[in-house]
Each structure stands twice: as structure tokens, then as C-alpha cells.
Amino acid sequence: MEPFVFERIGHQALRERIVTAETAASWIEDGMTLGLSGFTRAGDAKAVPTALIERAKRQPLKVDVYTGASLGSDIDKMMAEAGIVRKRLPFQADAAMRRKINERELLFVDQHLSHTAELVRSGVLKPIDYAIVEAVSITEDGMIIPTTSVGNSSIFVEKARRVIVELNVAQPKALYGFHDIYEVGKQGERTPIPLTKVDDRIGTIGIPVDLEKIAGIVVTNQTDSPSTIVPPDAETAAIAKHLIEFLRREVAAGRLSERLAPIQAGIGSVANAVLYGLLDSEFCDLEVYSEVLQDAMFDLLDAGKVRFASGCSITLSENKMKQVYHSLEAYRGKLVLRPQEISNHPELIRRLGLISINTALEADIYGNVNSTHVRGTQMMNGIGGSGDFARHARLTIFVTKSSAKHGAISSIVPFVSHVDHTEHDVDVIITEHGYADLRGLAPVERAPLIIEHCAHPDYRPQLRDYFAEALKRGGHTPHVLEQALSWHIRYEQLGTMREETYQLQ
Amino acid sequence: MEPFVFERIGHQALRERIVTAETAASWIEDGMTLGLSGFTRAGDAKAVPTALIERAKRQPLKVDVYTGASLGSDIDKMMAEAGIVRKRLPFQADAAMRRKINERELLFVDQHLSHTAELVRSGVLKPIDYAIVEAVSITEDGMIIPTTSVGNSSIFVEKARRVIVELNVAQPKALYGFHDIYEVGKQGERTPIPLTKVDDRIGTIGIPVDLEKIAGIVVTNQTDSPSTIVPPDAETAAIAKHLIEFLRREVAAGRLSERLAPIQAGIGSVANAVLYGLLDSEFCDLEVYSEVLQDAMFDLLDAGKVRFASGCSITLSENKMKQVYHSLEAYRGKLVLRPQEISNHPELIRRLGLISINTALEADIYGNVNSTHVRGTQMMNGIGGSGDFARHARLTIFVTKSSAKHGAISSIVPFVSHVDHTEHDVDVIITEHGYADLRGLAPVERAPLIIEHCAHPDYRPQLRDYFAEALKRGGHTPHVLEQALSWHIRYEQLGTMREETYQLQ
């Protein structure tokens, strides 16, 4: 083995445990449960899952797969296509796996990202046979230093029967020192999580591991797969503009300072665009307490707009990856990666008073938000951390383009086809047309704001008609039950939610 | 003034501020916002609101009314009927007010009970002109000692422009020392809430108040209105039996000890019956961290089954009230009353790892729960604290009878007409027929359990048919969209959800 590999394994005896991915994969038996590192395409275990998929071609098997969040490197795609997954949780974002989930060829459990660790710790979920976690190094005192994400790796390592480490020499060794691993302990026996500021360090720089549990170390050399973020367009830029405008009004009202409050922004192109919007704003000295640190975050750090960013993973485009990982020292002391249980912990989200910005799939006229299910039935990705943040943030903002599929789908509907965030948890909805500030409003006060400020103008007459008819029917939250889901049914039948093409049958 | 009144006002100068309820009511102007004490019929301000209602007969006015939760003493009823409320939050439970809300004669904002204080503190809600809070006494150093509930009184007193104290001599002076008032402070500047055990005292015995803000003290002599809990019946007893059986299995699996974990139980007859079920169980040395302490809780304390109970209010039947308030000393050191922000705080619920038991109005075959809206439109009471607990508890249990209105309504439906608790937050559903343990299950695994273990046998064939048809349509969460709300529509049109009487049109 090359010296540059050995120098990443501080603990001498462990150097004897280096095995091939194929060997490690051969230990995995049908029916086992695996806990994989990986969060939003970052820091995922790559070689052993790939070898397992290969092996399954000769020896079919099914395993349960727990992760941090979505995997990169096409692992979810390949696992789904190979049919080796019986149950998958808590999140995924791959098109092939999504198809298999919706065809019910595999079981998917969509969980709040802060909840999975509790369920593993308390023994509610099936125990983990192998934790397979990516590392940049293993220290002399036997701590696993994660790579570009922490995810659920620390609880997987603690609770798994055995551990396989993927030592990835393509991941920058300089990530050493960027992590802060904190274990909350058993419910009922734990003390307050001592974090009170986004840059507090409360744990260890790596994942403590019982060395006896390390079954093998697989050396790999493969970068994370780059993110597929599309650059801001006119609509996402308009959303960002409305967000800035809303934040300005909060500053003017004395509820926020120009430093705002720690920001969380969900994954994806809309959230990324919104962060770019902050780059040109007057807000400064910002703090971030989020899950995923995307491209925009590093531009904000570079511009000095963001003072400090706490996250659970770093997910970058190809170019940004090159830039960031070649100048990591510039970010030392300015960012930290935490377990997702900590990045998404209700205790901390509420204490810090975050401004939380997440993407809605659709919202209804009363402010209920669907983040997961297309037409109420087809899983998109999962709720992710949005519920962890929405319920507890100081300001819970959902953003979405007002329409999709070239206008055939309205993102504002009479009645959402699935609820992930209830009316009690949604403060502000923003589309490219404007924002609706729903705080302190009764349902019938919310509907006109959402319709007139957020809905696509083409859909406003239809929404106004629905609301007017609903008002006649009465109730605190007026609805016309037999029409409530008619927009989704129309789309299913006719390919559009628009009424002019809708023929009554 | 009688000496026994003076001895309840430790601070001499304040004795000069005693006024009549009519005088205090005369200070309230049209358009003002009032913050009233009161939580689940306990410790409500009684005299000033009553005088205000009287005054409004001559001088019409509208006010916004914030409270802890529901009021007793018919205050919500009288306010609603007098038409003096413009906006009401965060919870109510009165039939007359409910009617006015659903007729939209007043605006109702249904909030998580732990959220209201944050919204008052941060200035998101309209500022409070008068806090009107009931007290058993005011100490020499100027602290207001609340009566049978704390609710939002402490934040109302802190943030209101002026304060009116209703000194209620019918409330036992011995309540002094039973309260623990803790102020969390501004978001972003606060430290961890230092509570790690249900019996920890972390605050002061009363509500600190700037004495200059006390506009007047009104002396009253009126007990709380008794609770209207109905005794356990065969169905609620069966629910309790299934709960005990479920808890036994958790103990057998090593996930709980015989001391279980701190219990929260929602208000109402079902929750009360469930607690009575614990009385005859083998579980002992129990702890309670809840909102409302009802009759059953005192029987559990008397029997030595419950070691300590933390709550936000004491709501008792007439007989129980007599017994408890004449022997309060027996409970000293065994119970504490906290602000609802603390009794319901996500940070503490998750840290303590509660077993949370709340009532559902209806649940769907995938585990989504409706706690608030009859047929999706008519407000019942409000979400109350159920969302604070459900998202964060160790075990989130929803209980309901499997049918209502003599079988015309099934509590298990294909698709709930309103979502308060999403599939991500519901662990176990219990009816008189059994329980469904949904933890770690995908939607299609949950449906058969809920249908076969929880639904009323009369409705099982209909539910099975729906689920079978939905499976044919496909998807991660299969639905037949055009039939999803048909059960509610059928009930609206034909007065029953049963299919045999349903004529296709």
C-alpha cells in the first residue's frame, strides 16, 4: 500500500485490516441492514455498495439501507435497478429509485432527517449489521474523520454490529478539523445540547469508534458526484427579490437586524438562487445554520457576506468543488459539519431562531404545504429536513415557482393532495409573483393573500371562484369538498389543471 | 376591604389599586388586544371579561383576545354571543364560540400552544394592551402568584402595556409554591432550558412584574368551572387496555422499563380513561410531563402510581376539585405548574423522551391525523398542544373511538379531510378494536394494520376495497383521488359514511 494511504491511518494495527471492496461486500448477507454514510450526494460510501451490486448479479440478495440522506455516485440508482433494496430510509433523490418506490418494488420510509438517529438509538428500527462510512482518515486514537458529510454516520458507527470504513484518498485530507461530532445520549438521560451560537464547537473532531468493531478498511479514490444545480433563472431571481423585500420589511419593523438571523436553506436550485439573492443585498455578517452547504454558500463566504456556516454536508458543482477543495484552509474556522441530528435539532433550531427557507411542491390557499407527493401519490424525494426546520424556525418560508410543466400545473391549489407542513407551521409563501405573510392570520384571511400575491395570474380566476364558492359553503376553513381535489384529478385525466380545457362529464 | 384580601397583597402600595371589575373594564377600548389568563377552564380571568361583556351591551366594541387555551366560566361563550371578539387565539373549546368561528363572525387563529409566546415575544402578533390574569396573591416583592393554570400569563404580563390582576379569594392561597415560572428569552440570545427531569425547578415561584404596569387589582370570589369529563365507558376502557398491552410489549422489547417514560396525555374523556387504565396496571413510579392535570392524575398520585406530575393547569370535576383543593398540602413537592411554553417545549419533550397520548378526530389509512376540522371545514377546538408533543415525543400515540354518531362516521377514513399530524409524526393509533404500530413502516405497510386493527369492523370492507383499488392506481402512497374525500361528501349529503346507503349519481 502506498505511504500516502498509510499516513491516513494513524492507528498502526488498523493498517492490517485493509481489504478490497469485493471482500468487504462478501460479508454482507441477505436480509441484513446497512447504515451508509452520505448526505445530499456528499460523503457517501461508494466502493462497497458498488461491489455489493456487482456481487448481487451472481448472488441475489436484499438488504435494508439506511443513510443520512440522498446518495451520489449513482449508488441509489444502481441499488434500485439491481433490486437489492428491501427497505430504504430516510430520504433519496434519485430518478430510478423514485420510480421503483412508486412502483413499490422497494419500501421507502420518509422520515424527518433529525428523527432517524433517535429511532436507531432507541432500537425502534431494525438493528444495523454493517455501518459503511466514508472517511478522509482514521486518527491515532481511533477516531473516524468523515469526508464531505456527517449525516447519520456517527450513530450508525455507534450502534452497528460491525463497521467498514471507506478511506477515500480523493477526498481532501484537510477536512480534518472541520467536523464537530456530538452524541445527544439516550432520551430521558440526556442533558441540554450546549450549543448557543452557530459557531460553537460542542463535540469531537471525529467519530469515536470501538476499534474492535472495524471489520475492514477499503481504500477508494473517487470524488463525490457533483451537484446538478441549475443556475438562477428569471423566476428564481424574482423569488429571491421578494424574499429580500420581505426581510427588509422585517428589519424595518424592528423584528430583525441587518444581520438577520441564522439562515437555513433547503437543497435545490430555488434555494440556491435565493442565497445568491443575498449576495447583492445590504444584509451582512450573516450566519448560517443549515443542512447542505451549496455553491452559493461559498460565494457568500468568499464575499464576506456570511461570517460562519454550520451544515451537515458540502454539496457542490464540479467547478466549485475544484475551487473549494483546493483552498480549504481559507474556510477553516468559518464552517463546521455536524451530524444531521444536530444540524436539524428542534432544540437548536428554536433556540437560535432560524430563518428557514425550503421548497414547496405545492401549497393550498390556506397555507398547507406538500413537499413530497406529486398528485398525492407519487413520491418525489422525501420530506428531508424541512419539517425539522419549519415547525421550529423563527420564520418559516416556503418558496416555489407558481406553476410547473409549462403552466399545466398550478403550484397553488385549493387543497393540497398531501400535507407535509400544516397551516400551523407555514409563515410565508413566496413565488416569482410575490409573497404572502400568513403570520397571525385566520384561514380566510390567508386565502386572498396567497391567491393574489403568489398564484400564477392564469390560475387566479379559478382560485377566486373556488374560494368564493367555498365561502358560501361555510366553515372556519371553507372548502367545496367535491371540488377540493378536482385540480389534481383534472391534471391526471387531461394533462392540465386549467379549467378552460376541462369538460364536465 | 377584608383583611383576608389584604393578606393576599403582600406589597402595601398595591392595595391602593383595588378597583371594581366595571372600572377595570371601562379602561378597555375598541380595537385593543387583551391577553387573558386561562388554560383548559382553569385559572381564567373571570370578572373583568364578564364586566366587559356587560359594558359592550351599552357600548359595542371589538377586541382581540389571546389566552393560554380554552376558558371556563362561560367567558368564551359570553364573549362570542356578545360579539365582542374580532380575533381569538390560540385555542378554544366552547360550543357557542365554535359556532361563531364556523359562521366566521369572529376570526380564529389555531396555533401550537408552545408557539404563541414566541409570537408575542418577537412582536409578530399585535401588541397586547392589557394582560388580565388571575392570581391567588401578589408577593411583597411584587410577584404575581397564578392560580390553577399558568398558560401564557407570564409572557402576557411581561409584554403587555398594562396589567390587571384578578385576585381570586376562592382559589386556594396554598397554591403558592406550586408554580415554576421560567422565561426563555429572545431567540438567538437564549441559553439551553436547564430542565432535565420532570421535577426540576428552573424558575421563580411567581410571575415577575413591573409594578408600575399594574393598572388595577380586581378582587373576585369565584371557583373555576368544573370539567365536563365523562367517566370511562366500555370503548375508552378498551382503548386503555390496548395501550397497556402496547406498552407491555415495549417493556418486553427492552425499549421501556416498568417506570415507562414521562407521560403526556391530552385533555378529554378518552385521555382521562386511558390514565385510569394505568391505575390498575403493573407500571409504577411513573412521571408525568403534560399540559393539563385532570381527575385521573390525582387518583394516580394518590395511589402512588405517579411519582411526580408537571403540568400547565389543573382541570377537575366538581367533586375532585373539592377534594384536591382541601388537601393541597398532600401534593406539595409532587406537582408543579409551568408556563405552556415550557410544558409544551420541543426542546424538553424530545430531551425527556415523552410518551405522548392525544386524541384524533379522524386518521387515514396511512396514519395522517386530523385533530381539528370536522369534514375538513368546521373547526372543533384547535390543535392545542398535540403538535408540540407529537413531533418530538419518544412515542406518539393517537387514540380515538373507531366510529362516531352511532356509527354514521368512521374515524378511520381513506384520506383525512384536514391534516394536523402528518404520517411522519404518528407512531401508534389505538381504537377500542386494537392498535397499529406504524413505526418504521412504509405507507403500504401501514394501511393493512390500521384497517384490520383499528377501523370499526363495519367499515373494514369499504376500507379494504378503497385500498385495493388504490393499489391498482399505483404510487408510494396509493390513492383513488376521485374517491379520496367521498366518505366525507357522502356524510354531508346522506348523513352517513356507509356505502350501502350511497347511491352513485
Side-chain angles (χ1 to χ4, degrees):
Chain A
M1 196 55 63
E2 307 286 342
F4 71 90
V5 171
F6 276 166
E7 75 188 18
R8 287 180 179 239
I9 307 179
H11 195 277
Q12 296 267 347
L14 285 180
R15 296 177 187 172
E16 309 296 316
R17 300 208 200 143
I18 292 176
V19 294
T20 64
E22 291 67 33
T23 301
S26 75
W27 301 331
I28 295 165
E29 295 166 23
D30 185 48
M32 279 189 169
T33 298
L34 310 180
L36 307 186
S37 68
F39 194 102
T40 57
R41 309 171 74 85
D44 33 28
K46 299 165 176 73
V48 180
T50 305
L52 185 68
I53 292 157
E54 274 306 305
R55 186 197 130 190
K57 289 178 185 163
R58 307 181 303 275
Q59 268 185 301
L61 88 175
K62 292 261 189 200
V63 289
D64 286 6
V65 177
Y66 306 169
T67 61
S70 53
L71 303 178
S73 316
D74 282 342
I75 301 291
D76 268 334
K77 176 178 190 289
M78 293 187 297
M79 289 197 302
E81 286 172 349
I84 70 163
V85 181
R86 189 192 74 92
K87 185 169 273 185
R88 176 80 175 85
L89 60 83
F91 186 84
Q92 62 78 42
D94 177 78
M97 180 165 274
R98 181 182 304 145
R99 200 174 58 245
K100 297 287 185 186
I101 288 169
N102 287 318
E103 289 168 354
R104 296 197 304 279
E105 290 194 21
L106 65 94
L107 294 165
F108 177 57
V109 188
D110 177 22
Q111 295 177 330
H112 297 298
L113 292 187
S114 85
H115 280 197
T116 311
E118 297 280 18
L119 298 170
V120 169
R121 184 180 294 111
S122 60
V124 167
L125 293 177
K126 218 164 137 258
I128 296 169
D129 296 289
Y130 281 95
I132 309 174
V133 299
E134 193 180 74
V136 289
S137 57
I138 305 174
T139 64
E140 206 172 330
D141 52 349
M143 273 201 296
I144 297 170
I145 308 297
T147 60
T148 45
S149 71
V150 181
N152 280 317
S153 295
S154 47
I155 191 73
F156 291 167
V157 165
E158 183 187 331
K159 292 294 178 185
R161 204 167 51 78
R162 305 302 303 276
V163 176
I164 298 167
V165 178
E166 287 199 7
L167 192 73
N168 189 345
V169 298
Q171 295 277 28
K173 225 180 117 182
L175 280 170
Y176 179 97
F178 277 90
H179 310 90
D180 186 55
I181 310 297
Y182 181 84
E183 165 56 25
V184 295
K186 280 174 74 171
Q187 281 184 317
E189 297 173 14
R190 60 178 70 150
T191 50
I193 304 171
L195 186 147
T196 59
K197 297 190 298 296
V198 299
D199 54 354
D200 277 348
R201 288 198 145 267
I202 59 174
T204 54
I205 56 150
I207 301 171
V209 58
D210 170 1
L211 291 179
E212 288 311 300
K213 277 181 27 178
I214 297 186
I217 297 172
V218 176
V219 179
T220 69
N221 187 353
Q222 184 181 344
T223 57
D224 285 338
S225 43
S227 69
T228 50
I229 296 261
V230 297
D233 58 23
E235 286 168 342
T236 57
I239 290 171
K241 186 177 75 73
H242 296 304
L243 172 71
I244 303 287
E245 189 190 319
F246 168 75
L247 293 173
R248 268 184 200 136
R249 290 181 65 160
E250 287 300 294
V251 173
R255 287 190 287 261
L256 288 174
S257 77
E258 289 219 338
R259 297 180 55 206
L260 300 178
I263 292 166
Q264 175 266 331
I267 190 153
S269 303
V270 181
N272 204 50
V274 158
L275 291 177
Y276 274 121
L278 288 172
L279 202 57
D280 302 318
S281 75
E282 69 275 28
F283 304 118
C284 56
D285 209 20
L286 302 174
E287 296 181 331
V288 168
Y289 196 84
S290 199
E291 291 174 333
V292 190
L293 308 181
Q294 297 180 248
D295 283 21
M297 194 57 69
F298 288 85
D299 289 315
L300 286 164
L301 281 163
D302 292 347
K305 278 281 181 190
V306 165
R307 188 186 74 72
F308 193 92
S310 169
C312 173
S313 74
I314 300 174
T315 300
L316 301 174
S317 67
E318 194 161 1
N319 282 335
K320 203 74 192 167
M321 221 186 265
K322 280 181 197 148
Q323 181 214 312
V324 168
Y325 294 139
H326 285 91
S327 56
L328 256 185
E329 290 309 323
Y331 300 102
R332 198 173 294 278
K334 290 188 186 170
L335 70 86
V336 65
L337 296 178
R338 309 183 190 273
Q340 68 198 73
E341 191 177 23
I342 301 297
S343 64
N344 289 32
H345 206 291
E347 173 172 341
L348 305 177
I349 293 163
R350 184 128 166 200
R351 183 182 300 153
L352 295 171
L354 302 192
I355 298 173
S356 170
I357 306 159
N358 289 289
T359 306
L361 209 56
E362 61 178 4
D364 71 23
I365 56 172
Y366 299 117
N368 298 286
V369 166
N370 174 6
S371 302
T372 55
H373 283 72
V374 176
R375 294 190 306 289
T377 58
Q378 305 289 314
M379 172 55 61
M380 181 62 98
N381 299 329
I383 191 167
S386 57
D388 292 322
F389 292 99
R391 177 71 57 87
H392 311 101
R394 175 199 308 251
L395 267 173
T396 295
I397 299 167
F398 280 93
V399 293
T400 179
K401 294 187 182 186
S402 69
S403 68
K405 301 268 178 203
H406 307 290
I409 291 175
S410 173
S411 306
I412 308 296
V413 293
F415 191 100
V416 285
S417 58
H418 184 89
V419 177
D420 293 293
H421 308 289
T422 72
E423 47 155 347
H424 315 93
D425 298 324
V426 179
D427 291 332
V428 182
I429 295 176
I430 309 183
T431 69
E432 73 276 21
H433 296 291
Y435 68 83
D437 179 359
L438 310 177
R439 295 174 296 169
L441 299 185
V444 291
E445 294 178 291
R446 293 175 213 148
L449 292 184
I450 296 174
I451 295 170
E452 304 306 332
H453 295 187
C454 298
H456 192 285
D458 289 355
Y459 281 103
R460 287 183 197 168
Q462 258 175 263
L463 288 165
R464 288 183 200 125
D465 287 350
Y466 179 87
F467 183 53
E469 180 63 24
L471 284 173
K472 286 186 211 151
R473 300 286 182 98
H476 172 65
T477 304
H479 273 299
V480 187
L481 284 189
E482 67 274 23
Q483 290 175 26
L485 291 169
S486 65
W487 293 37
H488 303 87
I489 296 167
R490 196 181 305 149
Y491 181 80
E492 236 174 32
Q493 294 175 346
L494 304 172
T496 179
M497 288 185 172
R498 292 198 200 209
E499 212 153 55
E500 60 265 27
T501 63
Y502 181 54
Q503 306 298 320
L504 282 167
Q505 285 155 0
Chain B
M1 197 54 64
E2 307 284 342
F4 70 90
V5 171
F6 275 166
E7 77 187 17
R8 285 178 181 241
I9 308 180
H11 196 277
Q12 298 266 347
L14 285 181
R15 295 176 188 172
E16 310 296 317
R17 299 208 200 143
I18 293 177
V19 293
T20 64
E22 291 66 34
T23 301
S26 74
W27 301 331
I28 296 164
E29 295 165 23
D30 185 50
M32 279 189 170
T33 298
L34 310 180
L36 307 187
S37 67
F39 194 101
T40 57
R41 308 170 75 82
D44 32 30
K46 299 165 176 73
V48 181
T50 305
L52 185 67
I53 291 156
E54 274 306 305
R55 185 196 132 192
K57 289 178 186 164
R58 304 181 307 274
Q59 267 184 301
L61 88 175
K62 292 262 188 199
V63 289
D64 286 5
V65 177
Y66 305 169
T67 62
S70 53
L71 302 179
S73 317
D74 282 342
I75 301 292
D76 268 335
K77 176 178 190 289
M78 293 188 297
M79 289 196 303
E81 287 174 349
I84 69 164
V85 181
R86 189 191 74 93
K87 184 169 273 185
R88 176 80 174 83
L89 61 84
F91 186 82
Q92 62 77 41
D94 177 79
M97 180 165 273
R98 181 183 302 145
R99 199 175 58 244
K100 297 287 184 185
I101 288 169
N102 288 318
E103 289 169 355
R104 295 196 306 278
E105 289 193 21
L106 65 96
L107 295 164
F108 177 57
V109 188
D110 178 22
Q111 294 176 331
H112 297 299
L113 293 187
S114 85
H115 280 197
T116 311
E118 296 280 19
L119 299 170
V120 169
R121 184 180 294 110
S122 61
V124 166
L125 293 179
K126 216 163 139 262
I128 295 169
D129 295 290
Y130 281 96
I132 310 175
V133 299
E134 193 180 73
V136 290
S137 56
I138 305 175
T139 64
E140 206 174 329
D141 53 348
M143 273 203 294
I144 296 169
I145 308 299
T147 61
T148 45
S149 72
V150 180
N152 280 317
S153 295
S154 48
I155 192 74
F156 289 168
V157 165
E158 184 188 330
K159 291 296 177 185
R161 204 167 51 78
R162 306 303 303 276
V163 176
I164 298 167
V165 178
E166 286 198 7
L167 192 74
N168 189 346
V169 297
Q171 295 278 28
K173 225 180 117 182
L175 280 170
Y176 179 96
F178 277 90
H179 309 90
D180 186 54
I181 310 298
Y182 181 84
E183 165 56 26
V184 296
K186 280 175 72 172
Q187 281 184 316
E189 297 174 15
R190 61 178 69 149
T191 50
I193 303 171
L195 186 147
T196 59
K197 297 191 297 298
V198 299
D199 55 353
D200 277 348
R201 288 199 144 267
I202 59 175
T204 53
I205 56 149
I207 302 171
V209 57
D210 171 0
L211 292 180
E212 287 310 302
K213 276 183 23 178
I214 297 187
I217 297 172
V218 175
V219 179
T220 68
N221 186 354
Q222 185 181 345
T223 57
D224 285 340
S225 42
S227 70
T228 50
I229 297 261
V230 296
D233 58 23
E235 287 169 343
T236 55
I239 292 171
K241 185 176 76 72
H242 295 304
L243 172 72
I244 302 288
E245 189 190 320
F246 168 75
L247 292 173
R248 270 186 199 133
R249 290 181 65 160
E250 287 300 293
V251 173
R255 287 190 286 262
L256 287 174
S257 78
E258 289 218 339
R259 297 180 54 205
L260 302 177
I263 292 167
Q264 175 267 331
I267 191 156
S269 304
V270 181
N272 203 52
V274 159
L275 290 178
Y276 274 121
L278 287 172
L279 201 56
D280 302 319
S281 75
E282 68 275 27
F283 305 118
C284 55
D285 210 19
L286 302 174
E287 295 181 333
V288 168
Y289 196 83
S290 197
E291 292 174 333
V292 190
L293 308 180
Q294 297 180 249
D295 282 22
M297 194 57 71
F298 287 85
D299 289 315
L300 286 164
L301 281 163
D302 293 347
K305 278 282 181 189
V306 165
R307 189 185 75 71
F308 192 92
S310 168
C312 174
S313 73
I314 301 175
T315 299
L316 302 174
S317 66
E318 194 162 1
N319 282 334
K320 204 74 190 168
M321 222 185 263
K322 280 180 197 150
Q323 181 215 310
V324 168
Y325 294 140
H326 284 92
S327 57
L328 257 183
E329 288 310 322
Y331 301 102
R332 198 173 293 280
K334 290 187 187 171
L335 69 85
V336 66
L337 296 178
R338 309 183 190 276
Q340 69 198 73
E341 191 177 24
I342 299 300
S343 64
N344 290 32
H345 205 292
E347 173 172 341
L348 305 177
I349 293 164
R350 185 130 165 199
R351 182 182 301 152
L352 296 170
L354 303 192
I355 298 173
S356 169
I357 307 159
N358 289 289
T359 307
L361 208 57
E362 60 178 6
D364 70 24
I365 57 173
Y366 299 117
N368 298 285
V369 166
N370 174 7
S371 303
T372 55
H373 283 72
V374 176
R375 294 189 306 287
T377 58
Q378 305 288 314
M379 172 55 61
M380 181 61 100
N381 300 329
I383 192 168
S386 57
D388 292 321
F389 292 99
R391 178 71 56 87
H392 311 101
R394 174 199 307 249
L395 267 172
T396 294
I397 300 167
F398 280 94
V399 294
T400 179
K401 293 186 181 187
S402 68
S403 68
K405 301 268 179 204
H406 307 291
I409 292 176
S410 173
S411 306
I412 307 297
V413 293
F415 191 101
V416 285
S417 57
H418 184 88
V419 176
D420 294 292
H421 308 290
T422 73
E423 48 156 347
H424 315 92
D425 297 324
V426 179
D427 291 331
V428 182
I429 295 177
I430 309 183
T431 69
E432 73 276 21
H433 297 290
Y435 69 82
D437 179 359
L438 311 176
R439 294 173 296 170
L441 299 185
V444 292
E445 295 179 291
R446 293 175 213 148
L449 292 185
I450 296 174
I451 294 171
E452 303 306 333
H453 294 187
C454 298
H456 192 286
D458 289 355
Y459 280 102
R460 287 183 197 168
Q462 257 176 261
L463 288 166
R464 288 183 200 124
D465 287 351
Y466 179 88
F467 182 53
E469 180 63 25
L471 284 172
K472 285 185 209 151
R473 301 284 183 98
H476 171 65
T477 303
H479 272 299
V480 187
L481 283 189
E482 66 275 23
Q483 291 174 27
L485 290 169
S486 64
W487 293 37
H488 302 87
I489 296 167
R490 194 181 306 146
Y491 181 80
E492 236 174 32
Q493 294 175 345
L494 303 172
T496 179
M497 288 185 172
R498 291 200 199 208
E499 212 154 56
E500 60 265 28
T501 64
Y502 182 55
Q503 306 298 321
L504 281 166
Q505 285 154 358

